[in-house]
Amino acid sequence: MDKQLISSESMSSPLELLRAMTRIRMVEEEIAKRYPEQQMRCPVHLSIGQEAAAVGVCAALQPTDWAFSGHRNHAHYLAKGGNLKAMLAEIYGKATGCCGGKGGSMHLSDQAAGFIAATPIVGSTVPIAVGAALTAQREGKGRVVVVFLGDGAMEAGVVHESLNFATLKNLPILFVCENNLYSVYSPLSVRQPPNRSISDLAAGHGLKTIRADGNNVQEVYTTASAAVQELRHDSGPVFMELPTYRWLEHCGPGYDNNIGYRTDSEFQEWKKRDPLIIGSHNLTVSLETLHINNIRREIEEDFTAAISDPFPDPASASLHVYATCTTSFATPVKDTRELTYAEALQEAQDICLKRYDNCYLMGLGVPDPKGIFGTTKGLREKYGNERVFDIPLAENAMTGVAIGSAITGLRPVFIHQRLDFSLVSIDQIVNQAAKWYYMFNGMMNVPLVIRMIIGRGWGQGPQHSQSLHAWFAHVPGLKVIMPSSPYDAKGMLISAIEDNNPVLLLEHRWLHSVKGNVPAGYYSLPLTGCSRVIEGKDITLVTLGYGVIVCRAASHELKKYNISAEVIDIRSVQPLYSNSIIDSVDKTRRLIVVDYAESTCSIAAEIIARIAEESKEDLYAKPIRLTFPDHPCPTSPALSKGYYKDAFDIVFSALTQFDRTSEFDPSSYIAETFHDQPNPSYTGPF
């Protein structure tokens, strides 16, 4: 039988069930045997003793069904039909590995077999699988998604968020919990209260729960088959608990009963319940010597091939950080029409929802009457609840859902009413979305847009005011944009939705009411490159986001001192193309960077570092960065007054560059409104 077709329907035969378990056992025994050679230079988490769970569940699936897993994934990968040789090459770090050597044992993928991905952070793959189930549901082809998780994952909040959403949306997903009683060295008894099973815990989310003996492959197969058939007919999610036991240490090739976290007597009791022995007895079949020899020969050949395969070219280490985008940017037709920034964002999303059937919007409050400050208003009425919808207050899981749907063909836009709220999903943003394309060697794009609104003023305080663009820009794989005008907001958001990478759009809420020229219809703008907002010759002001509004005002004020200030809008924080900044500073030889974030490790610091490294001219004065002070934003207006730098501060700083501070006339600068209001019409509470 072709080793690529292990998950076909013929796998349900008693002989094939036993053969599949035996093959997995022999593969992992060989890994354990060879691991001390120190040629497999990555962690390995072996499934010896747990083979029945993987084989029984995957035997119930079609090759077109999708499977996801965690760190202990070899058995799932192989049972679903994953290529053995590609798996071994990956563990050895070879170019021919299933992830080109970029993932190792904990990141496996064989999309042809329906094994989409495994990632090692406990519970983190679960919401991604739920997102894939959302795609499967919308396809309407009867595809089922399975995600394997351990008992330890049932303590992760993101898993419970995922169970809730899967039930809420009636998704076709089977959650398979392999309860092997230990999370690393911690027994279930110290992690879960007594008199409550894991199935009971899952049942609290309203989904159907089932149990089977995780070491009895026939029982697992029969139970899983019934669940899968129900899922194909829109029965809603199912949670399956499979008690089982791992024989070897949590991570590594050896036995570790001697270190005291479990007793040898417990181990021996479970070893008597060897899945292979139970399977042979219950299925009334046994593998002939010929079968064993064939498996052994296959393993030997694939190990030999994997070991002899070449390592990746060192140059490939920098490949697949960002997916290629084939978008040809559409120049807008000239138009005198004016829209607010919020209206421009709404129009961009409207265009993309109409243009792309696989695009959808979600976020807390997205379909509310106010529509996220007007940026999503009317879209649910136009496109329906499946494409524009509210979400549970579960940002971490919902980010994973967005990722899972993105890697399986959809283009989600996830909206946070404050950037600060996105921080509870930092695992999914940084460890999953940003790294997915890279760690799976460019095989899966993540076309995801996350809109984050930056708060300021009217007492937003320490947890509603942050602008963490430098944080996100520090993470390879993320694109970070901050359009400052309605024109840029529309064109760049359209491009972001069309992009094949995770794009974070940070929008300052004070920009929402700003008006500007916005051409009608479809147009798109590059997500790279700075914009010269005002041309000048004496000093360069570099900024981004709402800082552009402030620098415009400062440039106008500086004319009173006969100083011509050039204003550069960064627009794209990552990738950051600084050539136009360097050209401007080489011309003016003076620089102020206005960055509405903390100074240390800021984008302002990065800009100044690049000027120091790449500028062709010496500066007339030391560069200045105007940023937040080193404390969180306070709530009281009496305390926040000095927190944000305004045009007053920029003008004074510019005069220091010319040794003309004695000429500064504070009375010439009259603010139009309070420091915590962009204009008099802006009032609280939100």
Side-chain angles (χ1 to χ4, degrees), residues 411 448-449 481 491-499 501 503 527:
R411 288 188 176 269
L448 163 65
V449 175
I481 59 174
M492 294 181 79
L493 177 52
I494 289 174
S495 293
I497 293 172
E498 294 177 337
D499 201 276
N501 298 280
V503 181
L527 301 182

Side-chain angles (χ1 to χ4, degrees), residues 131 133-140 165 168-172 234 353 356-363 366-367 379-391 398 401 405 410-413:
L134 183 66
T135 302
Q137 183 185 67
R138 296 190 180 188
E139 287 179 336
F165 184 75
L168 179 69
K169 295 296 184 180
N170 204 47
L171 298 180
D234 301 321
L353 285 165
Y356 305 110
D357 290 339
N358 61 346
C359 178
Y360 72 91
L361 272 60
M362 69 174 179
V366 162
L379 295 179
R380 179 179 65 171
E381 291 77 8
K382 191 170 183 178
Y383 296 100
N385 291 326
E386 287 192 355
R387 299 189 62 199
V388 181
F389 57 89
D390 213 330
I391 62 167
M398 296 313 302
V401 167
S405 67
L410 302 184
R411 288 188 176 269
V413 178

Side-chain angles (χ1 to χ4, degrees), residues 41-326:
R41 303 184 72 84
C42 66
V44 291
H45 302 78
L46 303 179
S47 303
I48 293 175
Q50 299 185 194
E51 297 88 353
V55 170
V57 170
C58 290
L61 303 176
Q62 296 289 341
T64 51
D65 292 329
W66 290 332
F68 292 81
S69 182
H71 55 275
R72 200 176 309 284
N73 57 56
H74 302 161
H76 310 141
Y77 172 93
L78 293 173
K80 191 62 176 72
N83 185 290
L84 172 59
K85 193 263 183 178
M87 182 188 96
L88 295 176
E90 185 63 31
I91 295 174
Y92 277 104
K94 299 304 181 72
T96 53
C98 61
C99 296
K102 290 179 176 174
S105 169
M106 296 185 290
H107 301 87
L108 300 179
S109 178
D110 190 331
Q111 294 177 76
F115 188 87
I116 304 303
T119 66
I121 297 177
V122 173
S124 64
T125 315
V126 175
I128 296 172
V130 171
L134 183 66
T135 302
Q137 183 185 67
R138 296 190 180 188
E139 287 179 336
K141 298 177 181 178
R143 192 195 304 269
V144 170
V145 177
V146 169
V147 59
F148 292 92
L149 60 148
D151 53 283
M154 289 302 293
E155 289 125 38
V158 72
V159 172
H160 294 278
E161 294 174 0
S162 301
L163 294 173
N164 176 67
F165 184 75
T167 307
L168 179 69
K169 295 296 184 180
N170 204 47
L171 298 180
I173 182 168
L174 176 62
F175 300 93
V176 179
C177 180
E178 295 176 311
N179 180 3
N180 65 19
L181 306 181
Y182 291 91
S183 178
V184 189
Y185 304 123
S186 302
L188 197 62
S189 60
V190 303
R191 298 181 285 109
Q192 293 280 333
N195 304 318
R196 186 188 71 190
S197 71
I198 284 177
S199 293
D200 292 338
L201 192 58
H205 295 284
L207 74 171
K208 180 179 179 180
T209 60
I210 54 179
R211 285 172 59 94
D213 181 352
N215 283 16
N216 186 330
V217 69
Q218 185 64 50
E219 185 177 328
V220 173
Y221 167 69
T222 301
T223 307
S225 294
V228 167
Q229 289 309 308
E230 290 179 6
L231 287 167
R232 295 200 198 284
H233 295 90
D234 301 321
S235 69
V238 178
F239 183 90
M240 185 178 189
E241 182 181 357
L242 301 176
T244 185
Y245 199 79
R246 61 172 167 82
W247 291 8
L248 302 184
E249 57 190 324
H250 162 69
C251 179
Y255 293 89
D256 63 352
N257 298 342
N258 60 306
I259 65 176
Y261 74 101
R262 59 182 182 181
T263 65
D264 191 61
S265 60
E266 177 187 273
F267 171 76
Q268 293 301 332
E269 284 299 314
W270 276 98
K271 197 169 183 181
K272 292 176 184 176
R273 304 187 62 248
D274 184 340
L276 272 62
I277 295 174
I278 293 174
S280 181
H281 179 267
N282 291 348
L283 298 170
T284 64
V285 295
S286 61
L287 294 184
E288 298 177 0
T289 303
L290 177 62
H291 291 122
I292 298 294
N293 288 340
N294 285 342
I295 295 171
R296 182 173 290 113
R297 185 180 305 110
E298 174 200 10
I299 293 171
E300 290 175 354
E301 289 174 355
D302 286 352
F303 263 96
T304 299
I307 292 169
S308 62
D309 279 349
F311 284 105
D313 184 334
S316 69
S318 60
L319 298 179
H320 305 125
V321 178
Y322 294 97
T324 302
C325 298
T326 58

